[in-house]
Amino acid sequence: MISIEQRNHRKGGLFLLTGLVFFCIPILASFNSFSLEESIRRAGELRVVTQQTPTNYFQTDGDPAGFEYELAKSYADYLGVQLKLIIAPNLQGMYESLRLQDAHIAAAGLTRTPEREALFAFGPTYLRSATHLIYRSDDGFTPPTSLQDLPPEQLRVVAHSSHAEQLHAFKESYGPLSWQESDDEDVLDLMDAVNRGDLTYTLIDSIALETNHTFYPRIRSAFTLTSDEPIAWMLKRRDNGGLEHSLAAFFQRPETQALLETLKSTYVRHNDRLNMVDNLTFQTHLRNRLPALQPWFEEAAQQTDTSWPLLAAIGYQESHWNPRAVSPTGVRGIMMLTRGTARQMGVKKRTDPKQSIFGGARYFRRSHTRIPARISEPDRTWLALAAYNVGFGHLEDARILTQRAGKDPDRWDDVAEHLPLLTQARWYKTVKNGYARGHEPVLYVTNIQRYLKQMKLESRRQAAQSEYVEIESELPTQMPIRMPSTL
């Protein structure tokens, strides 16, 4: 039996408990709004889901890089935690990772669309991009001027992408339109298919078009479907634990804004720099920069049994012979060595030109000796240069793809045809080391070959000029001067 006193006491306790709950709800809700950020700090780990692409994330000789990687790493540093990347096979995989709380953030150049906003929250806009319909430029081909001009079933886009959402919206507003959606291809796969002529049209954002246009020279934009679409990181719609506030503060920092500008020039507009061989600039640097460095190139070449012009050409491709050159990915110096490579090669100060040149020479020699001895020159050197640029593992993957295609994996020209396949999921998923920016080592080797040719021509010119001066000094002052036959 319960006494009245006991009842009243229990009833009073119930009222007190109820009052405390209602009083604490706003406090608990406020605490919960910041709990995820605090739990990230306490756990010491920020989990970010992304995809392997030329702008998102990739590895070069074991070193991570990419626009989204660099930005996510900066945010992890801002929080004082480690960055853990989760690599999703496709867009749907990213969505699921975020829904299942495997990841705190999805960072992959994601367009902020109404359909996505219905399911997810977004951080601040950090890029804007237009959507283009692209086609292969051929003689006599007249591109369409609107989606309504497209023949049936000649347009294919990535499934679950913002481009697919745009097509559905267009169809609802303007009427019949047919297209295909692919779960097995990414944007680069479709861009490559258009460039080869296997696909007539696809949609691509302006950032991807600008980043990769050098690799697909026949690609043209027929028209712009949308403009100034916002790109942002994606979060859980509810219970994102104050990350929206934290990201707003992070992106407002002057340091983050400066980093964004650097990342744009590095990852979005880097290909023009990589592919450009500016003869005038090169000739100027030959006269003004190389002479001070040449003795170290020659000494390093002698120690490593390498050609000094080759080492000099590598140095020019890497830094334009600028000892203070620095990239956002952490490589620096004449030979642009990573911290890990510098440590392995015994380089204590990467911006010291002599140390950098000697370290780069040793690293190239190591790459060269890893190439099978049966491969003859110059193919062995070109393959070693590709490994120097993209990493030995990725080079081996390209050689495997070359062999599968019935071509010669020991011949540089054949391997160069297959290195770009490492940008496409249907190929890089079949090899050990996965995605790589396979176009870049091809351009890298091509540029170095051009620099070597120009250095050889300059050497001949100087030798001929020296012969001319010597002959002139031995001739009588009134005697007509003849140019040497070597000129």
Side-chain angles (χ1 to χ4, degrees):
M1 181 179 290
I2 301 173
S3 68
I4 296 176
E5 291 79 4
Q6 288 173 322
R7 281 172 159 177
N8 289 339
H9 178 73
R10 189 169 184 176
K11 187 175 181 180
L14 181 60
F15 279 124
L16 178 61
L17 179 61
T18 303
L20 285 172
V21 168
F22 280 104
F23 176 78
C24 290
I25 282 175
I27 298 175
L28 291 171
S30 176
F31 174 77
N32 186 61
S33 70
F34 293 92
S35 61
L36 181 55
E37 182 185 0
E38 290 304 317
S39 69
I40 290 171
R41 293 181 187 274
R42 287 196 300 268
E45 181 178 86
L46 174 70
R47 299 193 301 274
V48 176
V49 62
T50 188
Q51 289 183 281
Q52 287 187 321
T53 73
T55 49
N56 292 341
Y57 164 75
F58 58 94
Q59 287 200 351
T60 299
D61 203 20
D63 295 312
F67 187 108
E68 296 291 355
Y69 165 78
E70 295 288 336
L71 196 55
K73 179 66 169 61
S74 180
Y75 180 55
D77 292 342
Y78 171 77
L79 294 178
V81 300
Q82 295 295 314
L83 173 65
K84 178 182 179 181
L85 287 183
I86 301 169
I87 306 303
N90 50 38
L91 286 170
Q92 190 64 24
M94 276 199 296
Y95 300 159
E96 290 303 316
S97 182
L98 207 55
R99 287 195 191 101
L100 298 174
Q101 299 186 0
D102 294 331
H104 303 120
I105 293 171
L110 297 168
T111 303
R112 187 170 186 159
T113 66
E115 290 83 355
R116 289 173 177 171
E117 286 183 314
L119 300 172
F120 300 99
F122 282 85
T125 297
Y126 57 91
L127 286 174
R128 289 188 175 274
S129 186
T131 299
H132 296 262
L133 182 117
I134 61 169
Y135 68 99
R136 169 183 161 127
S137 176
D138 289 315
D139 292 339
F141 181 81
T142 302
T145 57
S146 75
L147 287 178
Q148 294 167 314
D149 297 335
L150 296 185
E153 300 299 322
Q154 295 195 18
L155 170 65
R156 189 160 73 242
V157 298
V158 176
H160 311 293
S161 66
S162 61
H163 303 143
E165 293 177 13
Q166 290 164 1
L167 291 174
H168 283 289
F170 183 91
K171 187 175 182 178
E172 288 180 8
S173 301
Y174 298 98
L177 176 67
S178 62
W179 69 90
Q180 299 171 330
E181 295 185 23
S182 174
D183 281 306
D184 302 323
E185 297 171 296
D186 60 21
V187 169
L188 286 184
D189 292 329
L190 296 178
M191 194 173 184
D192 184 68
V194 172
N195 190 65
R196 294 195 315 268
D198 296 337
L199 175 64
T200 310
Y201 306 108
T202 191
L203 295 179
I204 189 170
D205 63 77
S206 56
I207 291 176
L209 183 60
E210 185 177 4
T211 303
N212 297 287
H213 77 276
T214 301
F215 306 136
Y216 302 108
R218 306 193 73 168
I219 291 291
R220 297 290 184 274
S221 172
F223 58 84
T224 301
L225 185 64
T226 64
S227 60
D228 282 340
E229 294 291 322
I231 293 175
W233 285 349
M234 201 159 63
L235 323 169
K236 287 193 68 178
R237 184 169 177 77
R238 297 180 179 85
D239 302 325
N240 58 53
L243 286 185
E244 287 181 84
H245 299 290
S246 177
L247 287 173
F250 168 72
F251 278 98
Q252 286 174 358
R253 298 188 318 156
E255 301 95 318
T256 304
Q257 292 300 312
L259 174 63
L260 282 168
E261 290 304 312
T262 302
L263 294 178
K264 289 175 191 176
S265 64
T266 301
Y267 293 109
V268 177
R269 297 184 289 269
H270 70 281
N271 290 318
D272 288 335
R273 177 186 59 80
L274 181 66
N275 193 39
M276 183 181 66
V277 182
D278 188 335
N279 290 333
L280 182 60
T281 302
F282 182 73
Q283 293 296 328
T284 301
H285 290 162
L286 269 177
R287 294 190 299 270
N288 298 338
R289 295 185 178 181
L290 181 59
L293 303 173
Q294 183 170 333
W296 290 328
F297 280 122
E298 292 176 343
E299 187 178 348
Q302 189 174 18
Q303 287 189 8
T304 57
D305 192 24
T306 309
S307 159
W308 83 260
L310 176 63
L311 294 180
I314 294 172
Y316 189 79
Q317 172 62 28
E318 293 288 351
S319 67
H320 281 199
W321 296 324
N322 177 8
R324 293 180 297 278
V326 180
S327 88
T329 57
V331 295
R332 60 181 60 207
I334 293 288
M335 307 301 272
M336 296 297 273
L337 303 176
T338 66
R339 292 183 181 89
T341 299
R343 187 165 52 250
Q344 293 174 25
M345 298 299 110
V347 175
K348 296 181 179 179
K349 186 178 180 182
R350 289 178 290 165
T351 53
D352 180 282
K354 182 177 181 180
Q355 288 189 46
S356 182
I357 289 169
F358 277 66
R362 288 191 289 269
Y363 184 59
F364 172 75
R365 172 48 56 185
R366 189 181 74 171
S367 298
H368 194 273
T369 55
R370 295 182 72 183
I371 304 299
R374 68 175 182 275
I375 300 178
S376 59
E377 295 292 356
D379 290 296
R380 191 175 184 188
T381 290
W382 307 146
L383 291 169
L385 284 171
Y388 185 98
N389 174 257
V390 78
F392 187 78
H394 291 309
L395 174 67
E396 287 299 286
D397 287 346
R399 294 182 66 226
I400 289 170
L401 294 178
T402 304
Q403 190 171 37
R404 288 178 188 170
K407 297 293 187 71
D408 187 354
D410 295 348
R411 184 171 178 267
W412 165 246
D413 287 346
D414 288 349
V415 176
E417 289 181 17
H418 294 83
L419 268 164
L421 297 181
L422 295 177
T423 65
Q424 301 172 39
R426 70 177 186 272
W427 298 107
Y428 71 67
K429 287 181 179 179
T430 69
V431 289
K432 180 179 179 181
N433 296 282
Y435 172 86
R437 295 201 290 191
H439 298 280
E440 291 199 357
V442 178
L443 291 175
Y444 186 87
V445 173
T446 299
N447 282 354
I448 288 176
Q449 290 171 337
R450 290 171 177 171
Y451 294 137
L452 284 169
K453 288 180 181 178
Q454 290 184 70
M455 290 175 71
K456 189 173 183 179
L457 289 172
E458 178 65 14
S459 177
R460 288 177 177 175
R461 188 192 67 79
Q462 290 181 357
Q465 189 176 36
S466 175
E467 180 182 350
Y468 170 85
V469 171
E470 183 178 344
I471 291 174
E472 183 182 23
S473 65
E474 294 175 354
L475 294 176
T477 55
Q478 300 299 320
M479 189 174 182
I481 299 173
R482 285 188 176 181
M483 300 295 287
S485 60
T486 53
L487 291 178

